[in-house]
Amino acid sequence: MKHAEVADVEIRLLLEGVQQIYGYDFRDYAAASIKRRLTHWLAESAFDTFSQAQSRLLREREVFESLLRGITVNVTEMFRDPEFFRAMREQVVPFLKTYPFVKIWHAGCATGEEAYSMAILLNEEGMAGRYRIYATDINETVLQKASEGVMPIMEMQRFTRNYQKSGGSASFADYYTARYDRAILSAALKKHIVFAPHNLAVDGEFGEMNMVLCRNVMIYFKPALKERCLRLFDSSLLPGGFLCLGLKETLEKRQVGEHYAELSPPLRIYRKRYG
Amino acid sequence: MARSFQAVVIGVSTGGVSALAKLLGQLPAEFPLPILIVQHIGPNAGSGLVKLLGERCLLRVKEADEQDEILPGTVYLAPANYHLLVEHGGFLALSADPHVSFARPSVDVLFESAAEVFGPDLIGVVLTGANFDGSRGLRTIKERGGVAIVQDPADAEAQQMPQAALAATGVDYVVALNGLAALLQELASQCATSPRQRGGRDD
Ligand SMILES: C[S@@+](CC[C@H](N)C(=O)[O-])C[C@H]1O[C@@H](n2cnc3c(N)ncnc32)[C@H](O)[C@@H]1O
């Protein structure tokens, strides 16, 4: 018992220190997951305790960067949850097409796979040149990777399967060039995507969006931070716009929930009501 | 020892569907503790297991949602492709973190986070399975003073998971599946009759 309480105190102090020195606020992240990751980071580090790590953590940027890599989980894939992208193609795109131009925000885009998937889908549906995607993340290392658009070639088989399951019927291999062990996404996909840093815990809204996607990001947040994010998305979205969450996230019991109707229930695609 | 159990956590893999149907089917509707379960399932498994178990038992069975309040007499199953965790304050959390012990959901993740929150007031159960997931978690449960139960490997459809758990930690009970429901009820009823003892912890 004793031991656990010490670690809890240490973690609180550490997150407080990180917030004050580096401006990254992880105090509102769900405790169980963050503790798992911190404990994992500590075990891999040269430190025995969080207290011992604290001193260098607050003074040496590299130590903090390694902690940051340890506590932000960036796993993602192209066409993750294919059935979601199928619904996007079949049920959402027809609405988007009624606009001359649409703006889309991927909040928590990680290494960009989700945003690139969306670009592929929109191009295939005849919307090339009629959209702009803003893809943001707190972690600048992953954003750098995202803007390069280079992925391990061994992932491509899985991504191709996802793509096909999502209703894609073109040749997926046409979207990248293989170079040794890497797949380089075609320039046509990058053209309409802007990658930028944005921290959901402190930064402001993106105006006049037709669609906001924030999938598998808020499940790690405490309720108050979730509410903050949802207010942010709500004020960014135009009436009639779409809000897409991860498959295990819902607007049920959320303050903004009443402004939305769920489009295709298990897939967490919500449409903002008019007025 | 008088204590007040707050939850049962169960980890199970190969052979789990029939084991869970049997176990839950033997528990009465008024079983007083919440039951949190990680059954290893493929990434695309639907909600078939929830439905099947719901039909075979008197308890309420649901797939765990993020921020579900942990309620007595309710069975929560980890969803496919997400880890299930317990948060302080009696809530559930989900995570899409990488696989742990080659699994997602992982038994170790559930057990370790539950041990963290419930300490000695937790009952951990490892059932049939053909891998090693759950043994580290069960050891954590024991370290935190909880009760560890393992299905007798000779009785399990797949022995490896119970065996690994037995090798990893000393346990309180090794039982056949048939005797497990009765054991859980007995443990749970101790908590109903004995006054809440907090062992010096206050919160
Ligand atoms: C699991 S990934 C999700 C990627 C993608 N949306 C998907 O569903 O595949 C979560 C991402 O959220 C980012 N993130 C975590 N906290 C954040 C915050 N406060 N603001 C913005 N992004 C954040 C992480 O850096 C990580 O890249």
Side-chain angles (χ1 to χ4, degrees):
Chain A
M1 259 6 277
K2 194 95 195 163
H3 182 70
E5 282 164 22
V6 171
D8 286 343
V9 172
E10 289 180 313
I11 286 174
R12 260 203 302 280
L13 295 172
L14 182 136
L15 296 182
E16 183 74 33
V18 163
Q19 194 276 324
Q20 291 193 21
I21 304 281
Y22 298 105
Y24 283 86
D25 195 348
F26 293 104
R27 295 170 303 176
D28 287 330
Y29 284 46
S33 285
I34 201 119
K35 181 161 184 187
R36 267 202 86 78
R37 296 182 196 161
L38 283 171
T39 307
H40 191 254
W41 172 82
L42 184 69
E44 308 260 288
S45 77
F47 308 110
D48 293 331
T49 64
F50 290 117
S51 306
Q52 205 187 71
Q54 179 87 305
S55 163
R56 286 188 50 203
L57 184 69
L58 299 185
R59 288 178 178 80
E60 297 172 33
R61 180 98 200 174
E62 314 81 80
V63 180
F64 166 67
E65 295 286 347
S66 104
L67 180 97
L68 192 61
R69 279 194 297 278
I71 57 183
T72 61
V73 165
N74 312 113
V75 261
T76 183
E77 21 179 303
M78 289 186 84
F79 293 93
R80 181 181 196 163
D81 309 319
E83 64 277 36
F84 164 81
F85 280 95
R86 181 181 282 275
M88 180 61 48
R89 198 186 281 272
E90 292 171 357
Q91 298 175 43
V92 178
V93 168
F95 286 109
L96 298 181
K97 276 186 172 170
T98 63
Y99 296 87
F101 193 86
V102 296
K103 296 195 335 188
I104 298 170
W105 177 16
H106 289 258
C109 67
T111 37
E113 280 79 344
E114 189 182 74
Y116 285 119
S117 307
M118 186 63 72
I120 288 176
L121 191 155
L122 294 175
N123 290 353
E124 287 184 354
E125 296 300 317
M127 292 192 63
R130 284 172 52 200
Y131 66 89
R132 171 158 303 129
I133 291 174
Y134 301 88
T136 65
D137 203 281
I138 187 179
N139 181 330
E140 303 203 15
T141 314
V142 293
L143 280 175
Q144 179 58 34
K145 273 203 192 140
S147 58
E148 286 162 10
V150 179
M151 310 175 173
I153 194 90
M154 60 177 201
E155 294 279 32
M156 285 315 192
Q157 211 176 0
R158 190 161 58 108
F159 294 174
T160 305
R161 265 200 315 273
N162 280 355
Y163 166 75
Q164 287 162 349
K165 274 198 232 155
S166 79
S169 52
S171 159
F172 195 65
D174 290 347
Y175 293 121
Y176 63 88
T177 322
R179 189 75 42 89
Y180 304 108
D181 57 347
R182 344 216 69 200
I184 301 161
L185 293 181
S186 81
L189 297 176
K190 298 182 196 167
K191 222 163 54 194
H192 307 293
I193 309 180
V194 182
F195 290 101
H198 181 280
N199 183 344
L200 289 165
V202 293
D203 294 332
E205 63 195 62
F206 275 62
E208 316 223 306
M209 292 289 143
N210 297 89
M211 180 153 74
V212 174
L213 297 93
C214 186
R215 306 172 66 223
N216 308 302
V217 180
M218 291 183 290
I219 50 169
Y220 300 114
F221 295 172
K222 285 183 184 164
L225 183 52
K226 270 181 211 175
E227 292 288 357
R228 176 189 201 273
C229 296
L230 289 171
R231 279 198 303 276
L232 201 63
F233 300 149
D234 191 41
S235 55
S236 302
L237 270 172
L238 291 166
F242 295 89
L243 176 60
C244 306
L245 308 179
L247 292 190
K248 291 303 296 176
E249 304 170 87
T250 91
L251 285 187
E252 241 174 78
K253 298 184 231 162
R254 299 277 161 239
Q255 277 162 21
V256 303
E258 62 192 37
H259 305 163
Y260 292 81
E262 190 162 5
L263 196 66
S264 48
L267 298 176
R268 315 306 192 202
I269 301 176
Y270 298 86
R271 186 151 199 228
K272 185 170 173 175
R273 297 180 200 281
Y274 289 90
Chain B
M1 189 184 3
R3 45 168 128 210
S4 103
F5 289 113
Q6 297 192 49
V8 179
V9 288
I10 299 176
V12 58
S13 187
T14 318
V17 177
S18 65
L20 287 173
K22 193 164 171 186
L23 167 65
L24 297 178
Q26 291 176 357
L27 289 172
E30 58 280 2
F31 185 73
L33 300 176
I35 301 176
L36 318 181
I37 301 176
V38 165
Q39 152 82 64
H40 289 158
I41 35 176
N44 301 314
S47 49
L49 183 61
V50 171
K51 192 161 171 280
L52 183 145
L53 294 178
E55 285 164 4
R56 304 283 175 86
C57 77
L58 300 169
L59 299 161
R60 189 168 86 102
V61 182
K62 77 180 295 283
E63 186 173 278
D65 277 308
E66 52 151 5
Q67 276 183 293
D68 265 349
E69 190 179 351
I70 302 174
L71 299 171
T74 307
V75 178
Y76 301 89
L77 282 162
N81 231 352
Y82 290 84
H83 293 301
L84 174 62
L85 298 94
V86 176
E87 279 286 334
H88 282 281
F91 290 90
L92 294 176
L94 300 176
S95 112
D97 282 9
H99 290 51
V100 172
S101 310
F102 304 102
R104 191 174 65 198
S106 148
V107 180
D108 282 333
V109 171
L110 171 65
F111 281 18
E112 286 167 10
S113 73
E116 182 87 30
V117 170
F118 296 125
D121 302 333
L122 180 67
I123 302 169
V125 184
V126 172
L127 299 178
T128 169
N131 56 76
F132 302 93
D133 191 17
S135 46
R136 213 177 55 210
L138 197 68
R139 193 172 64 216
T140 309
I141 291 176
K142 279 307 295 171
E143 283 166 4
R144 295 300 180 95
V147 168
I149 304 174
V150 172
Q151 182 177 12
D152 184 348
D155 177 66
E157 192 173 321
Q159 306 189 352
Q160 201 175 0
M161 212 160 97
Q163 264 165 357
L166 289 171
T169 178
V171 307
D172 300 277
Y173 304 93
V174 179
V175 293
L177 191 59
N178 245 328
L180 183 55
L183 174 60
L184 290 178
Q185 282 191 78
E186 194 192 316
L187 290 169
S189 68
Q190 288 175 7
C191 82
T193 50
S194 64
R196 238 174 132 79
Q197 288 227 339
R198 303 216 128 254
R201 283 188 316 141
D202 43 16
D203 45 14

